[in-house]
Amino acid sequence: MRRKKFKLGAASLIMIMGIASLSGCGNSEKVSDTKNTTEKGEITLDDGRFDPNSDEVKDKTKEIENYIRYYYYFDEDPEKEAESYYDGIMKGLDDPYSVYYTKEEYQQLMEDDSGTYVGIGCMVTQDAETKAVSVIRPIQGTPAEKAGMLPGDQIIKIDDIELTSDMELENVVKMIRGEEGTEVTVKVKREGEKDPIALKITRAVVENKTVSYEMGQDTLGYIQVDQFIENTPDQFIEAIDTLTAQGATALIIDLRGNPGGLLSSVVKMCDYIIDDNAMVEGADKAGDILYTKDKNDKTIDKYSCSDHHSVDLPIVLLVNEYSASASEVFTSCMRDYGKAKIVGTTTFGKGIVQSILPLKDGSAIKITMAKYYTPSMTEIHKIGIKPDVEVDLDDDVKKMVTIPLEKDKQLQEAIKLLGFTPDPTIWDK
């Protein structure tokens, strides 16, 4: 049996339930006019909101442009000026999850969703306040892991470019990626190290196998879900079916470090486990998985079971503070229906949904369009989900890419809850 790998994450947090509209989920508006028209009709700006077409704004913009034209020392880059203008519109919303994508960034986002990309295999997140970019984990077997990158490393420089507080995560990811076979130097600040560490890494094709599984011991199945992209539901269903065929009588589903992903994927996975006829107190009807509501508290969408399949095995979910968004949808659904016990630490607390709106020139914006609610109509945004059994890992253990069972207190607790005795001779092979 392969050794159990503890993975602290699976994708940069730009993937958190933000690309649901790419798979047709939700009532996303398609922008059909870059000024003020959508498929839902004309949008007026006479409601006291900022109007970029007003004479006052036009005059001020012209005044600034004239100063730049006559006094700015360096050469201007018209393309960068244009992109920064659109980027500035989104930044003005003061929402770290609502962003502008250039044509290239949008293509990269869709590439992420497909499950493969060219890069170093480093999963990162950005602090919403400080903008510090930190490593959630390097993917096993990728250039980042081979170069010695560790969970918790803070990226401070990429090649010759120092990271600053005004850089968005998308731009940092773009700098890390590049052509296959090219080299990038990533300088990181590591806790316990006095000086920064420079890692020279050769870019390669990275495949995101999002689900791994094995028979942990005896008849205890173990499934690890790294993120929720297009290939995840099929892999997840394969994992459950294979383990049950092998005689699994209980399952551990590990969502630690899973930052989220496609809403459509997590709904399919919940659907596979939940009985279509099951009812939760507070839900509108049997089999409801998720509700989304707009800023006026109006329900936009309801997602419900429809596959007429359920899994009737004892389940324990492992979560931590990096389990976010789609991971929390899965966790809350399992909790509300009484399908699983939850072990670990309180989850991230991202209960809002973004949609991608493509623009006519090939670029796009991602915008927060709703909050989501669990089947029992519970809100988790900025709250998270508290485990049934709260167990944290020691700080030094959190930095490990591979954690032996004797140090993985969370996994030990999950095994015990399911009535098994943890056996390091099996888990640590």
Side-chain angles (χ1 to χ4, degrees):
M1 172 185 288
R2 68 173 178 81
R3 189 178 183 186
K4 186 264 176 185
K5 303 292 182 180
F6 174 50
K7 302 175 183 178
L8 278 173
S12 60
L13 292 184
I14 59 174
M15 296 283 288
I16 295 179
M17 198 111 76
I19 40 183
S21 61
L22 293 179
S23 296
C25 290
N27 287 337
S28 303
E29 295 179 358
K30 300 286 187 178
V31 177
S32 57
D33 184 304
T34 54
K35 290 183 180 179
N36 60 359
T37 305
T38 71
E39 289 178 357
K40 291 190 175 180
E42 192 80 8
I43 296 176
T44 60
L45 293 173
D46 57 357
D47 55 359
R49 297 173 59 190
F50 174 77
D51 182 2
N53 297 310
S54 68
D55 291 339
E56 180 183 359
V57 173
K58 287 180 179 179
D59 289 343
K60 187 170 183 176
T61 301
K62 186 175 181 179
E63 185 178 11
I64 293 173
E65 288 174 344
N66 283 336
Y67 277 131
I68 292 173
R69 184 171 293 110
Y70 287 108
Y71 295 111
Y72 185 59
Y73 182 84
F74 298 103
D75 293 334
E76 298 174 52
D77 186 330
E79 184 177 348
K80 283 187 177 180
E81 288 180 3
E83 299 299 347
S84 65
Y85 176 77
Y86 309 131
D87 190 45
I89 295 175
M90 301 307 295
K91 284 185 176 179
L93 298 176
D94 196 25
D95 173 14
Y97 302 113
S98 294
V99 297
Y100 167 78
Y101 295 111
T102 65
K103 183 177 181 180
E104 294 75 19
E105 289 167 346
Y106 181 38
Q107 289 172 344
Q108 175 184 301
L109 191 65
M110 291 189 291
E111 182 183 83
D112 288 339
D113 185 31
S114 70
T116 60
Y117 62 91
V118 176
I120 65 173
C122 168
M123 304 310 169
V124 297
T125 184
Q126 185 175 47
D127 187 279
E129 295 181 1
T130 66
K131 296 296 184 179
V133 176
S134 300
V135 176
I136 297 176
R137 72 167 179 93
I139 298 175
Q140 181 188 353
T142 60
E145 185 195 41
K146 294 174 182 177
M149 188 167 281
L150 296 177
D153 283 350
Q154 181 184 334
I155 298 174
I156 58 174
K157 189 175 183 180
I158 300 172
D159 287 331
D160 296 326
I161 302 176
E162 301 274 355
L163 269 60
T164 59
S165 59
D166 61 347
M167 288 184 179
E168 296 299 332
L169 184 61
E170 289 84 352
N171 293 328
V172 175
V173 171
K174 186 177 180 181
M175 287 190 289
I176 293 175
R177 294 189 180 184
E179 294 184 8
E180 184 179 2
T182 59
E183 190 177 81
V184 61
T185 300
V186 181
K187 184 173 284 189
V188 301
K189 184 189 297 182
R190 182 173 296 168
E191 187 177 349
E193 298 289 340
K194 181 179 179 181
D195 299 317
I197 300 170
L199 304 172
K200 291 186 177 181
I201 310 173
T202 301
R203 299 179 177 99
V205 175
V206 177
E207 180 178 2
N208 269 340
K209 182 172 175 56
T210 56
V211 178
S212 57
Y213 62 94
E214 61 188 334
M215 195 67 79
Q217 62 183 71
D218 304 319
T219 56
L220 175 57
Y222 172 84
I223 301 173
Q224 185 165 21
V225 184
D226 288 343
Q227 67 185 87
F228 298 86
I229 59 177
E230 284 186 4
N231 63 7
T232 308
D234 288 343
Q235 292 180 24
F236 182 71
I237 292 170
E238 175 192 317
I240 291 178
D241 290 351
T242 300
L243 290 171
T244 52
Q246 292 174 356
T249 59
L251 298 173
I252 293 174
I253 300 176
D254 195 341
L255 298 179
R256 291 178 293 182
N258 184 325
L262 290 172
L263 179 56
S264 57
S265 292
V266 68
V267 166
K268 288 179 183 177
M269 293 161 66
C270 289
D271 191 359
Y272 197 69
I273 295 178
I274 301 300
D275 185 336
D276 294 30
N277 298 314
M279 189 70 188
V280 171
E281 184 177 352
D284 285 350
K285 61 182 178 61
D288 280 353
I289 295 171
L290 178 77
Y291 308 99
T292 59
K293 292 187 176 185
D294 65 16
K295 60 184 177 182
N296 298 313
D297 202 37
K298 179 182 178 182
T299 299
I300 302 173
D301 274 307
K302 297 179 184 179
Y303 299 87
S304 302
C305 294
S306 60
D307 67 357
H308 305 293
H309 184 278
S310 62
V311 175
D312 298 315
L313 294 177
I315 299 173
V316 169
L317 297 184
L318 291 175
V319 298
N320 65 7
E321 62 272 25
Y322 294 111
S323 303
S325 201
S327 290
E328 294 171 294
V329 170
F330 188 89
T331 303
S332 62
C333 188
M334 297 302 108
R335 178 197 61 188
D336 282 3
Y337 280 99
K339 297 295 292 188
K341 292 289 185 181
I342 305 167
V343 172
T345 55
T346 300
T347 60
F348 186 83
K350 181 178 182 292
I352 50 178
V353 182
Q354 286 72 43
S355 285
I356 297 291
L357 306 179
L359 305 179
K360 291 193 299 185
D361 64 354
S363 60
I365 62 170
K366 179 177 71 175
I367 190 167
T368 300
M369 47 79 71
K371 275 188 178 180
Y372 75 77
Y373 294 80
T374 75
S376 62
M377 293 301 292
T378 302
E379 181 181 352
I380 69 160
H381 190 55
K382 295 186 177 180
I383 299 170
I385 301 169
K386 187 175 180 179
D388 297 307
V389 181
E390 193 158 2
V391 183
D392 202 356
L393 297 176
D394 295 335
D395 290 340
D396 61 325
V397 175
K398 291 179 181 180
K399 298 176 184 178
M400 297 180 180
V401 177
T402 302
I403 301 179
L405 180 62
E406 63 181 23
K407 293 183 178 293
D408 195 339
K409 299 176 183 178
Q410 294 167 337
L411 179 57
Q412 290 178 35
E413 183 61 32
I415 295 170
K416 293 174 184 176
L417 273 179
L418 291 169
F420 295 82
T421 301
D423 186 349
T425 64
I426 296 177
W427 288 95
D428 294 340
K429 282 185 179 179

